[in-house]
Structure formats: structure tokens, C-alpha cells
Amino acid sequence: MTNVAIIYYSSYGTTHTMAERVAAAAEKTGAQVRLRHVRETAPQEVVQSQEAWKNHQADIADRPVAEPDDLDWADVAVFGSPTRYGHVTSQLQGFIDTLGPLWGQGRLADKVYTAFTSSQTKHGGQESTLLAMHTTFAHFGGIIVPPGYTDQLKFTDGNPYGVGKVTGESTELDGDDLAALDHLVERAIRVGEKLAG
């Protein structure tokens, strides 16, 4: 059985919804799944000043928070982050910065890593955000498994680096979004199983 850790940050809920879909798709393959959000580090006065952010924080208050042990346990790690100026959020980066002890012991190496993101606009930095996560995975010594153009659906979403959702006016995931997320995690798990075999 493959252990899959889904580590993500979400402020308004889109990346959270994407992470839940990834978890459901991974569970369908028979994988053991840990769905974990990273801690909120933004000042509470900022969070509370934005209705969607405040509501999402309340919605996930009782959900498990990511810990370094979740990556130590995982065979496959799927990271998710909204795009912030073409990069991951400070919240996700803060979690990554806690992984030094595991990295120093080589315990992040030789695992499969892949990623997803979201942005409000079509050219909002999704590719650079995914590539930034790939850079982190390379430092871990991880096996980076992008979706590439390994399924016809990738010619629809056009993103070979991971999965990206353009929220625009709607944060709802459409059929293409769901299929792309399913393909992302199913492919990562298949590669992880081959490496374990």
C-alpha cells in the first residue's frame, strides 16, 4: 500500500477543494492518505478582515495540521499552494522551512513529489509556482513526477508541470479540473509503486 501525504495551504478554499479531490482520487487507488493543511501564519487582523479567508479558516479549524512526520511517513507527497507573486505562499514556505532536520538525515529523498496550484488570473504565475515547488523537491532529492502530456486531458489544461486552477469569478472545480487532479495523483502513485517494486 502506498502512503500519500497531501500537504497544502489554502486561504480562500480553492486549494483546499483541490486537495480534497486529490485525496479522494488517491484513496480510490487503495492508497493510505494523509490530507494536511499547513498552519496559518498571517496576522489574524488580516485574516479576519476578509470574509472568505475568515470563513475558510473557521471551516478547517479542526482539520489535521501538517507536521514533518507526514512527509517522513509518505512514499508520495503532493504539495498544493495558491500562487503568490509567482511563488508559493509564505505559509507553505514556512512549513518547508521546518523540514531541515529530515532533509539533513536524507529522509525526504527518494520519494515521489508532484504539485498543484491556483491563481485568480490566467497568467497569474501558476507555472513559476509549480516550478518553485519542483526546485524544492530537487533539493530534497525527490523524484519529481509532473503530469507532462501523458493523457489527452493535458492538452485541454495545457499545464505539463502540475495542475493549475484559474479561479477568476468562480472557485468551483469543473470536469477538466477534476480529471487533471485525478490524473496527477494517479500517475504519481503509479510511479511510486514502480519505484517500490
Side-chain angles (χ1 to χ4, degrees):
M1 185 177 290
T2 304
N3 293 339
V4 179
I6 302 156
I7 308 292
Y8 73 97
Y9 172 76
S10 185
S11 46
Y12 304 138
T14 300
T15 311
H16 171 77
T17 302
M18 295 173 80
E20 288 187 317
R21 179 62 182 212
V22 170
E27 287 170 351
K28 280 185 184 176
T29 72
Q32 248 339 79
V33 176
R34 289 187 186 179
L35 177 61
R36 304 290 191 259
H37 69 92
V38 300
R39 285 181 179 82
E40 182 59 74
T41 57
Q44 277 306 301
E45 60 269 22
V46 175
V47 174
Q48 297 301 314
S49 72
Q50 298 185 38
E51 199 67 24
W53 201 349
K54 177 176 72 172
N55 291 342
H56 179 64
Q57 187 179 58
D59 288 345
I60 64 167
D62 297 330
R63 304 268 182 123
V65 175
E67 298 292 346
D69 176 66
D70 296 314
L71 282 179
D72 194 21
W73 166 86
D75 304 306
V76 173
V78 185
F79 277 59
S81 175
T83 292
R84 292 292 184 268
Y85 307 108
H87 208 283
V88 300
T89 62
S90 62
Q91 292 89 340
L92 182 62
Q93 186 61 52
F95 171 75
I96 290 167
D97 290 345
T98 70
L99 300 175
L102 284 181
W103 171 80
Q105 297 167 36
R107 297 178 72 106
L108 300 176
D110 304 327
K111 298 172 186 286
V112 167
Y113 293 88
T114 197
F116 61 94
T117 189
S118 62
S119 65
Q120 179 142 8
T121 58
K122 187 173 183 181
H123 298 291
Q126 290 185 5
E127 290 184 354
S128 58
T129 300
L130 292 167
L131 291 171
M133 287 191 265
H134 290 187
T135 299
T136 297
F137 305 154
H139 280 258
F140 291 168
I143 313 299
I144 301 166
V145 179
Y149 290 100
T150 57
D151 189 283
Q152 189 61 35
L153 69 90
K154 295 309 292 180
F155 291 92
T156 302
D157 83 353
N159 192 333
Y161 306 106
V163 173
K165 168 67 177 169
V166 178
T167 59
E169 296 301 314
S170 173
T171 60
E172 296 295 318
L173 301 182
D174 64 25
D176 290 338
D177 299 325
L178 299 174
L181 290 164
D182 292 353
H183 178 65
L184 179 79
V185 70
E186 289 164 4
R187 176 170 157 75
I189 290 168
R190 279 197 309 273
V191 172
E193 288 171 345
K194 287 180 181 179
L195 289 171

